[in-house]
Amino acid sequence: MAVESSVLNLPLMPWSLVWMAPYLAAVVIAVGWLLGVTRESFYGWVSVAGILVSALLSTYLAKLVLIDGKIVHVGADSVWIPHLGVGWGSYIDGLAAVMSLVVSWISLLIAVYSIKYMEGDWGFGRYFFMISFFVGSMMLLVVADNLVLMFVGWEGTGIASYALIGHWYTDEEDYWVGRPGRRVLGTPMFFEPSHSAVRAILFTRIGDIGFLIGIAALYLTAGTLSIPELASAAHVWIAEFAAQGVLPIILLIFTLGALAKSAQVPFHEWLVTAMTGPTPVSALIHAATMVKAGVYFVLRFTPIIVAGALAAGAPEVLSGVGSYFTLMAWIAVLTALLLSLMALVSDELKLILAFSTASQLGYMILAAASGGVIASVLAGGEALELAGEAVAAGLGHLVSHAVFKAALFLAAGWVIHAAHSRFIDNMGGFARYMKLTAAAFWLAGLSLAGVPPLSGFFTKEEVVAIAYKAEPVIGGLAALTALLTAAYTARMVIRVFHLPPYEEKSSEDKHLHEAPPLMLVPYTILALASLALGIGFAGFFNTLSIAATLSLAVEEALLRFKVTSLTYSVVAGVIASIALVAGLYMVLRVDFRRIIRENAAAAAIHGFLYDRMYFNAIVYIVIVGGGGALVAALQELDLGIDLLYHSLLVAAGGGLALLARKIYRGRTDYILALYIVSLAFAALAAYAVFEDKIGPLIRILGG
């Protein structure tokens, strides 16, 4: 049965508190900071309160959308920039409803965890100010009804990310990422918090330039910045771009911000080194929410683009859209594959999870892009329905990943604290001391590995199935990535919790015990939620179907989103389980360190993957080094121009003036001679230029 929907208009206040509440909490924290409040609990619980208000409002609005079948438009008549037709409105359809639930509730759990984790930190107040500011920006990004407001939230998350990645800006080595002293092609492979923060903001700002260009192009073509209006007029602006022969490139430029935000190749390097921030920051920004902004953007605009192309109907439109989605699918699947290979050899716990995050983000974008590829070669309602199913698949894996990856990061934060090391080779046997943490890590890890009945299995399986329909080669690479994911997950969990450490520490240095309740409860809830979503996958998938059906440009399509087939599910589950068992066996029985030491080929492959396939070195050599060389060359050119204008020309003028004075010496006959010669030269020049006109005149006068 199709979901009947209608638009429910609500006033700007109090419903805009769904994104304003965390901002207001940030203001209260700032005022307390300025007034000299020293009690840590004030900052932590004010932040939690602001996020809780946002979470409760998100829940009620999601109920209106997903249960009552209403699409909610808050403050539709509000005005902010009149001549652009931009207001303060929020638009909560199925996609925004699910996304706002994920962002607000996971942010709430992470904020609660942070109160204990950041206890005694010298930047406690600053930390919770930026956490609140970040959550407000992320919520604004999700619910904004126009591109300008969306971009404000987008940039707000970037500013908060910069501050939180560089939170420990004094750059002590304990907070670095990478092995100190390691270099590749002369480029350092170790990064301090302040350095990583700058990298993050620069990488993502490069993509955001494309986002801005796309916004401007859409406004000039469509005459509106309202996202619902852009959706209804998609056939107009898509046809216009196609007529100008720029449709694929405009769509790609428009999506650059999303690719950078969600750390897709070649923008992934910022996410890898962002692990210098506190671990709850990694869970909040770089696993559960901010990196999902790019995915949300792709999920939001994929059905709009597909619906517009279908309505336009011209072959060049469908061809251009197909080319764009094919490129996006390849970028996504290569990101998933390459980052999973890097995770196989990494020896830092948070770095393994970071590689995994970028890899899984590739899956989400792959789902949407694959739907676009398939829809571009079909027609009518079937194509739109398929695009909707792709959005549901990507959204499902987004939700699943946000839950289990947040659990993994939060648990990793306690493990790293207990081990006093970020390297997994210094960990081992922790399950004896922290059984609940080990259980939570296993549940979340099995979901990441795609083992049934955890949620990650069902959502990842749908992505692989859709990718295979779009292009069998891409689907095969996605399936291979799933096996690699199971392998590195097994290695990580077994190394940390069940094998003895390579470098045994004295018992006095370990202090191994279970996490405090304020930290243990959030990641235990998230791990159990991953199991619950898997066990109740039928209801979960039904909710995703409703959400996709109630999303912009998919309203007309009736979705029946379900597991592709029982046979496929069983086979995929068995393969994932075999990969997990194989990973366990290899970790337990194979001494990879000895193989790498004794085998040159193995060492070369390991080094290539460990050094991130030289992506970082290439960025520094080509972009940073090349940019520096270009700046140096331009500086030399500037000095040359400056020398020419302010030295050489001045000297030449002075020399000519001196020569003229010596020739003149006050004699009138010199002046007359110079005047006559000048007139003669002028006459000759005029004759040469105007010979065809002057010649006949001279002959007439002479005749």
Side-chain angles (χ1 to χ4, degrees):
M1 178 180 293
V3 177
E4 298 294 333
S5 66
S6 60
V7 177
L8 175 64
N9 290 295
L10 295 177
L12 188 66
M13 294 302 291
W15 299 104
S16 287
L17 286 174
V18 71
W19 60 268
M20 284 185 183
Y23 279 135
L24 294 176
V27 171
V28 173
I29 289 171
V31 171
W33 197 0
L34 291 173
L35 293 177
V37 176
T38 58
R39 183 185 286 277
E40 289 184 349
S41 59
F42 167 79
Y43 299 107
W45 290 111
V46 166
S47 178
V48 167
I51 300 171
L52 177 60
V53 170
S54 179
L56 293 174
L57 287 173
S58 295
T59 304
Y60 181 74
L61 292 172
K63 178 260 182 188
L64 293 177
V65 176
L66 301 176
I67 297 177
D68 297 347
K70 306 290 186 181
I71 292 175
V72 179
H73 201 169
V74 174
D77 299 328
S78 63
V79 178
W80 176 25
I81 309 174
H83 62 281
L84 292 180
V86 170
W88 294 99
S90 303
Y91 191 85
I92 300 95
D93 60 358
L95 180 61
V98 172
M99 189 70 179
S100 60
L101 282 176
V102 171
V103 171
S104 58
W105 283 106
I106 291 183
S107 298
L108 179 67
L109 290 172
I110 293 171
V112 171
Y113 174 99
S114 297
I115 291 174
K116 186 64 178 178
Y117 183 90
M118 298 299 292
E119 189 176 56
D121 187 89
W122 53 276
F124 194 92
R126 172 168 50 88
Y127 172 88
F128 276 102
F129 171 83
M130 295 312 307
I131 286 289
S132 300
F133 182 84
F134 168 80
V135 176
S137 298
M138 189 67 199
M139 292 298 295
L140 176 60
L141 182 162
V142 169
V143 303
D145 72 349
N146 64 80
L147 288 175
V148 173
L149 208 56
M150 184 183 195
F151 190 76
V152 171
W154 190 278
E155 293 303 294
T157 63
I159 293 170
S161 175
Y162 165 78
L164 290 167
I165 292 169
H167 177 76
W168 289 313
Y169 57 80
T170 48
D171 291 343
E172 288 88 350
E173 189 174 310
D174 288 346
Y175 307 128
W176 292 11
V177 165
R179 286 201 172 272
R182 188 177 182 91
R183 294 177 179 270
V184 174
L185 303 178
T187 303
M189 296 296 290
F190 50 93
F191 303 90
E192 307 87 349
S194 57
H195 186 182
S196 298
V198 172
R199 280 166 57 95
I201 203 165
L202 289 179
F203 268 90
T204 52
R205 291 300 80 75
I206 290 171
D208 290 352
I209 293 172
F211 189 10
L212 270 177
I213 293 171
I215 290 173
L218 281 176
Y219 181 71
L220 292 174
T221 305
T224 182
L225 292 169
S226 165
I227 297 175
E229 290 176 9
L230 285 171
S232 61
H235 61 287
V236 176
W237 53 266
I238 284 179
E240 179 65 25
F241 288 142
Q244 297 174 12
V246 296
L247 179 58
I249 188 65
I250 284 291
L251 292 178
L252 181 62
I253 290 172
F254 186 46
T255 315
L256 279 181
L259 295 176
K261 206 78 154 182
S262 289
Q264 299 299 284
V265 170
F267 298 105
H268 64 282
E269 274 294 319
W270 79 263
L271 178 65
V272 175
T273 56
M275 298 301 113
T276 53
T279 302
V281 169
S282 302
L284 176 66
I285 295 181
H286 310 118
T289 53
M290 192 191 88
V291 290
K292 301 298 195 306
V295 175
Y296 175 76
F297 177 94
V298 173
L299 295 177
R300 167 63 74 202
F301 281 95
T302 290
I304 292 175
I305 294 169
V306 169
L310 293 173
E316 65 271 16
V317 173
L318 294 173
S319 174
V321 167
S323 299
Y324 161 72
F325 281 121
T326 300
L327 177 59
M328 289 288 290
W330 276 107
I331 291 173
V333 77
L334 287 177
T335 299
L337 177 62
L338 298 182
L339 274 294
S340 66
L341 288 170
M342 296 178 199
L344 275 176
V345 302
S346 179
D347 59 357
E348 293 182 57
L349 182 53
K350 284 174 66 177
L351 207 51
I352 295 170
L353 296 175
F355 288 133
S356 172
T357 295
S359 178
Q360 299 303 304
L361 292 170
Y363 269 117
M364 301 167 208
I365 293 178
L366 175 61
S370 297
V373 171
I374 300 170
S376 66
V377 298
L378 297 175
E382 184 184 2
L384 191 56
E385 181 178 343
L386 215 56
E389 288 183 7
V391 169
L395 181 62
H397 199 54
L398 182 154
V399 174
S400 176
H401 177 265
V403 172
F404 67 67
K405 188 56 68 66
L408 286 169
F409 264 112
L410 294 181
W414 174 250
V415 168
I416 292 170
H417 172 78
H420 301 294
S421 174
R422 61 184 183 272
F423 296 100
I424 61 173
D425 288 349
N426 297 331
M427 303 173 187
F430 286 3
R432 289 180 295 168
Y433 306 98
M434 45 185 83
K435 291 181 173 59
L436 292 176
T437 298
F441 216 94
W442 266 113
L443 281 176
L446 290 173
S447 191
L448 169 61
V451 175
L454 279 302
S455 63
F457 161 71
F458 295 105
T459 56
K460 191 181 297 183
E461 178 238 7
E462 281 300 316
V463 174
V464 174
I466 289 175
Y468 188 81
K469 289 179 185 177
E471 171 56 58
V473 174
I474 292 178
L477 293 176
L480 173 60
T481 300
L483 300 181
L484 294 173
T485 303
Y488 70 67
T489 302
R491 168 180 173 260
M492 172 181 64
V493 180
I494 293 297
R495 172 72 269 161
V496 171
F497 289 100
H498 301 287
L499 292 180
Y502 285 116
E503 300 175 13
E504 191 72 40
K505 292 187 176 183
S506 66
S507 59
E508 290 78 17
D509 292 335
K510 284 183 177 177
H511 302 296
L512 297 179
H513 54 83
E514 199 59 85
L518 211 57
M519 296 170 66
L520 176 63
V521 170
Y523 61 74
T524 301
I525 290 174
L526 289 165
L528 291 173
S530 185
L531 176 62
L533 287 174
I535 293 174
F537 73 90
F540 179 33
F541 280 14
N542 182 60
T543 302
L544 294 173
S545 297
I546 294 172
T549 304
L550 289 171
S551 294
L552 278 173
V554 195
E555 297 98 330
E556 301 302 320
L558 169 61
L559 303 183
R560 295 182 180 87
F561 184 52
K562 57 185 181 301
V563 175
T564 305
S565 72
L566 179 61
T567 302
Y568 181 84
S569 299
V570 171
V571 171
V574 168
I575 291 175
S577 302
I578 290 173
L580 184 70
V581 172
L584 296 177
Y585 178 81
M586 294 174 72
V587 170
L588 292 170
R589 300 291 183 181
V590 180
D591 187 353
F592 287 103
R593 287 159 58 111
R594 181 182 60 80
I595 294 174
I596 293 168
R597 283 196 307 267
E598 297 176 358
N599 187 293
I605 294 172
H606 177 273
F608 179 65
L609 296 178
Y610 188 86
D611 292 321
R612 307 203 288 273
M613 301 180 183
Y614 298 170
F615 272 107
N616 181 71
I618 292 170
V619 166
Y620 275 80
I621 292 171
V622 175
I623 306 299
V624 180
L630 178 61
V631 169
L634 291 175
Q635 286 178 332
E636 292 296 325
L637 178 62
D638 181 66
L639 289 174
I641 294 172
D642 187 69
L643 178 65
L644 173 65
Y645 277 101
H646 297 96
S647 298
L648 296 180
L649 291 180
V650 172
L656 287 174
L658 179 62
L659 178 63
R661 284 196 298 270
K662 288 185 176 181
I663 293 174
Y664 172 50
R665 292 175 182 254
R667 294 181 56 174
T668 306
D669 54 337
Y670 282 5
I671 295 175
L672 291 173
L674 181 61
Y675 182 68
I676 293 170
V677 170
S678 299
L679 285 177
F681 273 111
L684 288 173
Y687 183 77
V689 174
F690 303 106
E691 181 181 2
D692 57 333
K693 296 182 177 63
I694 296 176
L697 180 62
I698 292 175
R699 284 194 293 273
I700 291 171
L701 293 174

